[in-house]
Amino acid sequence: MCRTNTAPPSRNRTDADPAETMMFIFDCTVDPGDLTLDQAHQAMQIHMCCTVDDCRVRRRARQILVDTGQMVLGDRANP
């Protein structure tokens, strides 16, 4: 959590159920797949010291929040 890990991502969690997704929400190197809005908000809080460039969980959560209109990116942000 909140660390930069240089290990290559080894799994994609696109087929996980919600309970299983929560197990992987703490690992920056694993894409958690689809998240609910509540899970996306929670992921953003858990990974608030991470960047979207380094953290696959924060990247996924941010994209979900942007796609649903819950977050609006500033001009400097790259989606």
Side-chain angles (χ1 to χ4, degrees), residues 39-57:
Q39 290 172 332
H41 282 289
Q42 185 176 15
M44 292 295 282
Q45 292 173 351
I46 291 168
H47 295 274
M48 70 176 160
C49 61
C50 297
T51 68
V52 293
D53 295 327
D54 298 328
C55 178
R56 297 183 80 190
V57 175

mmCIF file of all heavy atoms in Angstrom, residues 39-57:
data_model
loop_
_atom_site.group_PDB
_atom_site.id
_atom_site.type_symbol
_atom_site.label_atom_id
_atom_site.label_comp_id
_atom_site.label_asym_id
_atom_site.label_seq_id
_atom_site.Cartn_x
_atom_site.Cartn_y
_atom_site.Cartn_z
ATOM 1 N N GLN A 39 -16.239 1.209 -3.633
ATOM 2 C CA GLN A 39 -14.901 0.628 -3.666
ATOM 3 C C GLN A 39 -13.895 1.583 -4.300
ATOM 4 O O GLN A 39 -12.761 1.686 -3.840
ATOM 5 C CB GLN A 39 -14.902 -0.692 -4.426
ATOM 6 C CG GLN A 39 -15.599 -1.815 -3.712
ATOM 7 C CD GLN A 39 -15.750 -3.042 -4.580
ATOM 8 O OE1 GLN A 39 -15.818 -2.962 -5.811
ATOM 9 N NE2 GLN A 39 -15.833 -4.206 -3.945
ATOM 10 N N ALA A 40 -14.323 2.297 -5.347
ATOM 11 C CA ALA A 40 -13.424 3.251 -5.998
ATOM 12 C C ALA A 40 -13.062 4.381 -5.048
ATOM 13 O O ALA A 40 -11.892 4.783 -4.960
ATOM 14 C CB ALA A 40 -14.072 3.799 -7.267
ATOM 15 N N HIS A 41 -14.038 4.892 -4.316
ATOM 16 C CA HIS A 41 -13.754 5.936 -3.329
ATOM 17 C C HIS A 41 -12.812 5.417 -2.245
ATOM 18 O O HIS A 41 -11.867 6.099 -1.854
ATOM 19 C CB HIS A 41 -15.050 6.452 -2.699
ATOM 20 C CG HIS A 41 -15.813 7.399 -3.558
ATOM 21 N ND1 HIS A 41 -15.381 8.681 -3.818
ATOM 22 C CD2 HIS A 41 -16.975 7.258 -4.224
ATOM 23 C CE1 HIS A 41 -16.252 9.291 -4.599
ATOM 24 N NE2 HIS A 41 -17.231 8.438 -4.875
ATOM 25 N N GLN A 42 -13.078 4.206 -1.776
ATOM 26 C CA GLN A 42 -12.230 3.609 -0.745
ATOM 27 C C GLN A 42 -10.812 3.402 -1.267
ATOM 28 O O GLN A 42 -9.837 3.675 -0.567
ATOM 29 C CB GLN A 42 -12.828 2.288 -0.277
ATOM 30 C CG GLN A 42 -12.072 1.658 0.868
ATOM 31 C CD GLN A 42 -12.738 0.390 1.379
ATOM 32 O OE1 GLN A 42 -13.612 -0.185 0.720
ATOM 33 N NE2 GLN A 42 -12.328 -0.062 2.538
ATOM 34 N N ALA A 43 -10.680 2.944 -2.495
ATOM 35 C CA ALA A 43 -9.358 2.731 -3.091
ATOM 36 C C ALA A 43 -8.587 4.042 -3.194
ATOM 37 O O ALA A 43 -7.381 4.092 -2.933
ATOM 38 C CB ALA A 43 -9.497 2.092 -4.469
ATOM 39 N N MET A 44 -9.270 5.125 -3.572
ATOM 40 C CA MET A 44 -8.607 6.426 -3.660
ATOM 41 C C MET A 44 -8.103 6.877 -2.297
ATOM 42 O O MET A 44 -7.032 7.477 -2.193
ATOM 43 C CB MET A 44 -9.563 7.467 -4.249
ATOM 44 C CG MET A 44 -9.896 7.239 -5.709
ATOM 45 S SD MET A 44 -8.482 7.420 -6.808
ATOM 46 C CE MET A 44 -8.365 9.194 -6.895
ATOM 47 N N GLN A 45 -8.844 6.573 -1.244
ATOM 48 C CA GLN A 45 -8.409 6.934 0.105
ATOM 49 C C GLN A 45 -7.244 6.072 0.561
ATOM 50 O O GLN A 45 -6.273 6.563 1.134
ATOM 51 C CB GLN A 45 -9.575 6.831 1.078
ATOM 52 C CG GLN A 45 -10.634 7.883 0.832
ATOM 53 C CD GLN A 45 -11.861 7.677 1.697
ATOM 54 O OE1 GLN A 45 -12.012 6.668 2.374
ATOM 55 N NE2 GLN A 45 -12.762 8.645 1.659
ATOM 56 N N ILE A 46 -7.331 4.773 0.298
ATOM 57 C CA ILE A 46 -6.257 3.858 0.697
ATOM 58 C C ILE A 46 -4.957 4.210 -0.018
ATOM 59 O O ILE A 46 -3.880 4.160 0.578
ATOM 60 C CB ILE A 46 -6.657 2.396 0.393
ATOM 61 C CG1 ILE A 46 -7.792 1.963 1.315
ATOM 62 C CG2 ILE A 46 -5.455 1.460 0.503
ATOM 63 C CD1 ILE A 46 -8.437 0.651 0.913
ATOM 64 N N HIS A 47 -5.049 4.589 -1.280
ATOM 65 C CA HIS A 47 -3.866 4.835 -2.103
ATOM 66 C C HIS A 47 -3.630 6.323 -2.348
ATOM 67 O O HIS A 47 -3.075 6.713 -3.371
ATOM 68 C CB HIS A 47 -4.008 4.088 -3.436
ATOM 69 C CG HIS A 47 -4.011 2.607 -3.261
ATOM 70 N ND1 HIS A 47 -2.860 1.862 -3.212
ATOM 71 C CD2 HIS A 47 -5.033 1.737 -3.066
ATOM 72 C CE1 HIS A 47 -3.170 0.591 -3.021
ATOM 73 N NE2 HIS A 47 -4.481 0.492 -2.936
ATOM 74 N N MET A 48 -3.994 7.164 -1.379
ATOM 75 C CA MET A 48 -3.872 8.603 -1.607
ATOM 76 C C MET A 48 -2.430 9.085 -1.713
ATOM 77 O O MET A 48 -2.173 10.138 -2.296
ATOM 78 C CB MET A 48 -4.623 9.398 -0.544
ATOM 79 C CG MET A 48 -4.053 9.393 0.809
ATOM 80 S SD MET A 48 -5.090 10.487 1.784
ATOM 81 C CE MET A 48 -4.720 9.942 3.392
ATOM 82 N N CYS A 49 -1.469 8.326 -1.243
ATOM 83 C CA CYS A 49 -0.068 8.734 -1.395
ATOM 84 C C CYS A 49 0.567 8.115 -2.643
ATOM 85 O O CYS A 49 1.734 8.347 -2.931
ATOM 86 C CB CYS A 49 0.739 8.416 -0.148
ATOM 87 S SG CYS A 49 0.800 6.684 0.267
ATOM 88 N N CYS A 50 -0.215 7.372 -3.413
ATOM 89 C CA CYS A 50 0.269 6.785 -4.665
ATOM 90 C C CYS A 50 -0.034 7.722 -5.835
ATOM 91 O O CYS A 50 -0.891 8.586 -5.732
ATOM 92 C CB CYS A 50 -0.439 5.453 -4.936
ATOM 93 S SG CYS A 50 -0.142 4.175 -3.721
ATOM 94 N N THR A 51 0.646 7.489 -6.939
ATOM 95 C CA THR A 51 0.321 8.214 -8.161
ATOM 96 C C THR A 51 -0.353 7.244 -9.130
ATOM 97 O O THR A 51 -0.159 6.029 -9.042
ATOM 98 C CB THR A 51 1.577 8.786 -8.842
ATOM 99 O OG1 THR A 51 2.371 7.702 -9.332
ATOM 100 C CG2 THR A 51 2.389 9.644 -7.883
ATOM 101 N N VAL A 52 -1.119 7.783 -10.065
ATOM 102 C CA VAL A 52 -1.767 6.916 -11.045
ATOM 103 C C VAL A 52 -0.748 6.307 -12.004
ATOM 104 O O VAL A 52 -1.029 5.306 -12.651
ATOM 105 C CB VAL A 52 -2.873 7.644 -11.837
ATOM 106 C CG1 VAL A 52 -4.025 8.001 -10.928
ATOM 107 C CG2 VAL A 52 -2.340 8.853 -12.555
ATOM 108 N N ASP A 53 0.431 6.902 -12.087
ATOM 109 C CA ASP A 53 1.484 6.334 -12.932
ATOM 110 C C ASP A 53 2.080 5.072 -12.319
ATOM 111 O O ASP A 53 2.498 4.166 -13.038
ATOM 112 C CB ASP A 53 2.608 7.356 -13.151
ATOM 113 C CG ASP A 53 2.132 8.556 -13.943
ATOM 114 O OD1 ASP A 53 1.259 8.392 -14.822
ATOM 115 O OD2 ASP A 53 2.629 9.659 -13.662
ATOM 116 N N ASP A 54 2.111 5.001 -10.992
ATOM 117 C CA ASP A 54 2.755 3.887 -10.301
ATOM 118 C C ASP A 54 1.788 2.871 -9.708
ATOM 119 O O ASP A 54 2.192 1.754 -9.387
ATOM 120 C CB ASP A 54 3.638 4.411 -9.167
ATOM 121 C CG ASP A 54 4.761 5.286 -9.660
ATOM 122 O OD1 ASP A 54 5.253 5.044 -10.784
ATOM 123 O OD2 ASP A 54 5.156 6.211 -8.931
ATOM 124 N N CYS A 55 0.541 3.237 -9.529
ATOM 125 C CA CYS A 55 -0.413 2.399 -8.793
ATOM 126 C C CYS A 55 -1.589 2.023 -9.685
ATOM 127 O O CYS A 55 -2.382 2.873 -10.084
ATOM 128 C CB CYS A 55 -0.893 3.156 -7.559
ATOM 129 S SG CYS A 55 -2.116 2.263 -6.576
ATOM 130 N N ARG A 56 -1.718 0.751 -9.969
ATOM 131 C CA ARG A 56 -2.803 0.279 -10.835
ATOM 132 C C ARG A 56 -4.175 0.400 -10.169
ATOM 133 O O ARG A 56 -5.176 0.609 -10.840
ATOM 134 C CB ARG A 56 -2.538 -1.167 -11.243
ATOM 135 C CG ARG A 56 -1.253 -1.293 -12.069
ATOM 136 C CD ARG A 56 -1.014 -2.688 -12.525
ATOM 137 N NE ARG A 56 -1.865 -2.918 -13.702
ATOM 138 C CZ ARG A 56 -2.048 -4.097 -14.252
ATOM 139 N NH1 ARG A 56 -1.451 -5.159 -13.758
ATOM 140 N NH2 ARG A 56 -2.818 -4.229 -15.313
ATOM 141 N N VAL A 57 -4.212 0.287 -8.834
ATOM 142 C CA VAL A 57 -5.486 0.414 -8.121
ATOM 143 C C VAL A 57 -5.990 1.856 -8.209
ATOM 144 O O VAL A 57 -7.145 2.101 -8.539
ATOM 145 C CB VAL A 57 -5.342 -0.026 -6.643
ATOM 146 C CG1 VAL A 57 -6.631 0.233 -5.876
ATOM 147 C CG2 VAL A 57 -4.948 -1.488 -6.556
#
